Amino acid sequence: MALRCAVVGSGNIGSDLIKKILKSDNLEASLLVGIDPESDGLKRAAELGVPTTAAGVDYLLDRASDYDIVFEATSAAVHAANAPKFADAGLFALDLTPAAVGPYVVPAVNLDDVVDQRNLNLVTCGGQATVPIVAAISRVAQVSYAEIVSTVSSRAAGPGTRANIDEFTETTSNALVKVGGAQRGKAIIILNPANPPIIMRNTVFAAVPADTDPQAIIDSIEEMAESVKRYVPGYELVNAPQIDRGAGPDGSTKVAVFLRVTGAGDYLPEYAGNLDIITAASVAVAERLAAAAGKVK
Amino acid sequence: MSEFKKPMDSPVISPEGDVAPLAGKNVLVCDTTLRDGMHSVAHQFTTENVAEIARGLDASGVNVIEVTHGDGLGGSSFNYGFGAATDLDWIRAARAEITTAKLAALLLPGIGTIHDLQQAKDAGIDLVRVATHCTEADISIEHLHAAKALGLETVGFLMMSHMVGPNRLATEAEIMRDAGADTVYVVDSAGAMLPHQVAQRVEAMRERLGDDMPIGMHAHNNLGSGVPNALAAVAAGASIVDGSCHGLGAGAGNAATEVLSAALDRSGASTTVHTLELIDVAEDIVARICAGKLPKIDRGSLLLGYAGIYSSFLLHTRRAAERYGVSEAEILLELGRRRVVGGQEDMIIDVAIEMSGIDSPM
């Protein structure tokens, strides 16, 4: 039997999650929770044969023993309120909002360290794309400062993202330090309205000691990119990482890494790599939980 | 400081029968030498430079003095260039000198945060200009709310205004007004607009938001139209215009404040600026500190205006062209084809690498 998954939130993220859960042999799309019966997400899920409710999270809590994992795809404030209820109900929570009730998880970097926790936070889309690269540099050199720029198509940034721009930059910055291993972090997000929509781009800058071996950095980055690609197939390095000696603060070496994330096109079209990478990461965590529970087919 | 002992004396002599075109208009002047001008000096003004320029600007009677990294609060970064000082140190240095003008900071949601804004308020700003791309006003709502809660005066700053038509721009301005912007701006970040296009946008905003809503204009000079664009905005109903001394700023720079002030005087508009004193600030202080770095219309800056590209890209592009041995003009034109917007400076290196033919890894 597969792990029974409930998704809370029927917007872009929740709808994309349903599609990805349906593709998995080890996960079962057992419920999509919304609050608006007219929402596109609920209608589409119902058409795919997924049980849905517009009665909100109480519906889920009333029959919590029917589910193993809950994916929170609402907002930070909603998850902050729901998290203790999920914990009391014995549900494993994967939090795709910036609430960060539980520790950050970036599957390619720290899944083994946090998989025994009952509530994990998926950072942000930009964090899922860039933290692995910072961690890859950190494992071969001390990163005194890491900075990332995420550029997302305006069409792929829903109302939640737009009202939570500061949460994005602050949560991502924190994760660059806590999971990426940088001493200081800074995150920037840009929305681009071009039509046809641009595919999600991320650039990572890092300051490392001047005597760092450039090849060690490049090898580590390429290996990490392959690890991410295993659960986010559209993840790729666009150009060779650039390493400029003396170009960083205080004579440090500047590392620049250019990434593109093409979405799988599950719910929104493939330009929405930002949506894809965070949902794919959460499904990767759920797959690991299924394996740990002995529920892998 | 100058040979002009009586700065209030105007040298403007109007011929008899001449009707001044902007007579009766009261116009506020915002100087952004210490914010947009930061681009010209790669954000390397020292706190001493800021103090000296702010003192001169305040004495010359400009109404608003903007002081921040060129890309706003939190702009100091690999992507936009590290500043010679922090935003807060620059703001404090200006605060200590300013007695009359309002002290402003720029904030781009996505780069700076409400936390940065709180710190800037504590350091002494009176006003914040919250800037978004012209189609993304809704990402400024939280920041405008926070600014009002902090008791700050607020401006909604719609960058790259040339990229949408007048009606859409008015819709975005309305979002900012409803979120708490006291003033909304047409911002020609690419220096791509001509006077009649500016006038259409100002008129559309005025029609939508009413005559009581103050409207501003921020012009760049990439097509040589900086000052005329500001004047066209005033003629169409704008009541505050931006400039910077010697036009210091991204691309070919802004409308030069001292030229704008002289032009406003000759047009019959009323300002609080002592133009002769402001000319001295531009010539004796700013030109001295920025020797060799004053902006001009050259191939690169002209292409920004011609292709409608964010002016701040110019010096980053110049450096990338040199680093990778490729053409500055070709990089700029490719950025235009990719439809990059303000803040995407990382794409400059990306394009330069691609043009240089360095192999991709995977």
Side-chain angles (χ1 to χ4, degrees):
Chain A
M1 198 180 85
L3 277 190
R4 300 161 301 170
C5 300
V7 175
V8 181
S10 60
N12 291 342
I13 300 251
S15 298
D16 194 72
L17 272 169
I18 290 292
K19 292 274 192 118
K20 286 187 168 55
I21 292 167
L22 286 169
K23 284 183 184 175
S24 167
D25 291 336
N26 308 314
L27 305 174
E28 182 186 313
S30 303
L31 180 66
L32 176 62
V33 178
I35 48 173
D36 174 9
E38 298 304 311
S39 88
D40 180 60
L42 288 183
K43 283 183 187 168
R44 290 219 210 173
E47 283 165 19
L48 293 167
V50 176
T52 63
T53 175
V57 76
D58 288 341
Y59 179 93
L60 161 65
L61 291 167
D62 287 346
R63 41 187 75 65
S65 61
D66 292 350
Y67 312 102
D68 301 304
I69 303 182
V70 56
F71 292 77
E72 180 89 65
T74 54
S75 71
V78 172
H79 184 63
N82 286 345
K85 299 177 192 168
F86 296 150
D88 289 345
L91 289 163
F92 191 104
L94 292 177
D95 168 23
L96 288 86
T97 78
V101 173
Y104 297 135
V105 60
V106 179
V109 181
N110 72 338
L111 184 50
D112 293 337
D113 303 337
V114 296
V115 74
D116 57 337
Q117 303 282 322
R118 304 291 297 172
N119 183 315
L120 293 176
N121 177 268
L122 273 295
V123 195
T124 59
C125 57
Q128 289 297 337
T130 59
V131 169
I133 300 300
V134 174
I137 302 169
S138 286
R139 65 191 178 191
V140 293
Q142 185 174 70
V143 176
S144 55
Y145 171 68
E147 174 184 317
I148 71 100
V149 186
S150 281
T151 305
V152 169
S153 167
S154 298
R155 292 181 182 215
T161 304
R162 288 169 178 277
N164 288 282
I165 290 284
D166 278 12
E167 284 86 343
F168 174 95
T169 55
E170 285 160 357
T171 302
T172 308
S173 302
N174 281 337
L176 295 175
V177 174
K178 286 188 181 164
V179 185
Q183 288 174 318
R184 281 191 313 122
K186 178 175 178 65
I188 294 165
I189 182 169
I190 309 288
L191 300 183
N192 180 312
N195 196 18
I198 57 145
I199 289 172
M200 186 201 196
R201 291 297 309 257
N202 298 274
T203 300
V204 178
F205 298 104
V208 298
D211 59 3
T212 307
D213 171 21
Q215 197 56 48
I217 293 178
I218 291 170
D219 291 346
S220 181
I221 289 170
E222 292 185 351
E223 192 187 320
M224 182 64 83
E226 286 301 328
S227 301
V228 178
K229 211 176 169 70
R230 269 176 227 134
Y231 58 92
V232 187
Y235 186 85
E236 59 182 336
L237 295 173
V238 178
N239 283 306
Q242 300 294 298
I243 298 177
D244 289 87
R245 210 173 163 145
D250 306 320
S252 59
T253 287
K254 171 187 177 187
V255 182
V257 185
F258 303 89
L259 303 159
R260 177 164 49 217
V261 185
T262 308
D266 286 329
Y267 180 69
L268 288 185
E270 65 174 20
Y271 61 76
N274 55 315
L275 192 70
D276 202 68
I277 193 166
I278 192 165
T279 55
S282 70
V283 169
V285 177
E287 292 272 3
R288 173 68 70 88
L289 294 171
K295 293 194 171 180
V296 172
K297 280 182 187 169
Chain B
M1 168 168 108
S2 84
E3 66 269 35
F4 299 117
K5 300 298 181 202
K6 286 188 260 177
M8 292 301 286
D9 286 352
S10 169
V12 178
I13 300 164
S14 299
E16 236 172 275
D18 187 39
V19 180
L22 299 179
K25 302 250 188 201
N26 293 314
V27 181
L28 299 174
V29 174
C30 167
D31 186 278
T32 184
T33 307
L34 296 173
R35 198 283 299 168
D36 208 325
M38 286 275 186
H39 289 293
S40 293
V41 296
H43 321 285
Q44 296 303 302
F45 278 140
T46 63
T47 50
E48 291 77 17
N49 297 152
V50 167
E52 187 181 9
I53 295 169
R55 186 163 57 237
L57 289 171
D58 191 53
S60 76
V62 302
N63 305 98
V64 179
I65 299 172
E66 189 176 49
V67 182
T68 334
H69 184 283
D71 296 271
L73 295 169
S76 183
S77 58
F78 271 120
N79 204 34
Y80 308 119
F82 292 103
T86 65
D87 291 315
L88 299 180
D89 285 342
W90 282 322
I91 288 167
R92 286 191 202 101
R95 180 73 279 167
E97 303 293 337
I98 294 175
T99 60
T100 311
K102 289 173 182 165
L103 177 56
L106 180 75
L107 170 65
L108 277 69
I111 299 176
T113 63
I114 290 167
H115 178 70
D116 295 326
L117 182 61
Q118 282 162 339
Q119 291 187 316
K121 158 76 180 170
D122 292 343
I125 61 165
D126 305 299
L127 185 162
V128 63
R129 309 210 294 177
V130 183
T132 73
H133 185 75
C134 58
T135 55
E136 312 298 317
D138 60 354
I139 66 168
S140 71
I141 293 172
E142 302 293 314
H143 304 78
L144 286 167
H145 285 168
K148 293 315 283 185
L150 288 168
L152 291 167
E153 189 177 332
T154 50
V155 169
F157 207 67
L158 288 162
M159 301 188 293
M160 302 287 272
S161 286
H162 75 286
M163 288 182 77
V164 288
N167 281 332
R168 173 66 190 272
L169 194 66
T171 301
E172 298 288 323
E174 202 171 8
I175 292 170
M176 286 180 157
R177 193 268 315 266
D178 292 347
D182 298 313
T183 301
V184 290
Y185 258 71
V186 177
V187 181
D188 184 16
S189 316
M193 281 205 266
L194 297 167
H196 65 278
Q197 294 166 317
V198 171
Q200 285 171 345
R201 283 164 176 76
V202 171
E203 278 159 14
M205 282 188 183
R206 218 186 62 210
E207 224 163 86
R208 188 76 64 87
L209 305 176
D211 288 339
D212 294 338
M213 183 72 188
I215 296 170
M217 174 67 203
H218 176 92
H220 276 266
N221 203 37
N222 302 337
L223 294 178
S225 190
V227 170
N229 282 356
L231 295 174
V234 172
S239 56
I240 178 164
V241 286
D242 283 11
S244 60
C245 289
H246 263 288
L248 212 66
N254 294 109
T257 323
E258 67 281 9
V259 181
L260 185 53
S261 182
L264 286 168
D265 288 349
R266 287 198 69 88
S267 73
S270 298
T271 75
T272 61
V273 182
H274 314 310
T275 302
L276 296 176
E277 282 193 31
L278 186 61
I279 292 171
D280 289 348
V281 173
E283 204 63 30
D284 299 339
I285 303 176
V286 175
R288 167 173 50 79
I289 292 173
C290 304
K293 293 172 181 163
L294 297 180
K296 58 176 185 241
I297 302 178
D298 54 15
R299 177 168 49 203
S301 55
L302 170 57
L303 282 177
L304 297 169
Y306 190 29
I309 298 161
Y310 198 61
S311 296
S312 314
F313 287 179
L314 181 64
L315 296 182
H316 297 287
T317 301
R318 202 152 278 173
R319 284 188 286 271
E322 196 172 313
R323 160 80 172 76
Y324 292 99
V326 296
S327 151
E328 169 186 313
E330 285 302 321
I331 297 175
L332 289 171
L333 292 170
E334 174 61 19
L335 290 167
R337 282 190 283 269
R338 290 192 186 188
R339 308 203 59 189
V340 298
V341 298
Q344 289 189 267
E345 272 77 346
D346 54 324
M347 286 301 104
I348 296 168
I349 316 175
D350 189 77
V351 167
I353 297 168
E354 233 161 73
M355 286 182 162
S356 73
I358 297 172
D359 284 340
S360 297
M362 0 187 340

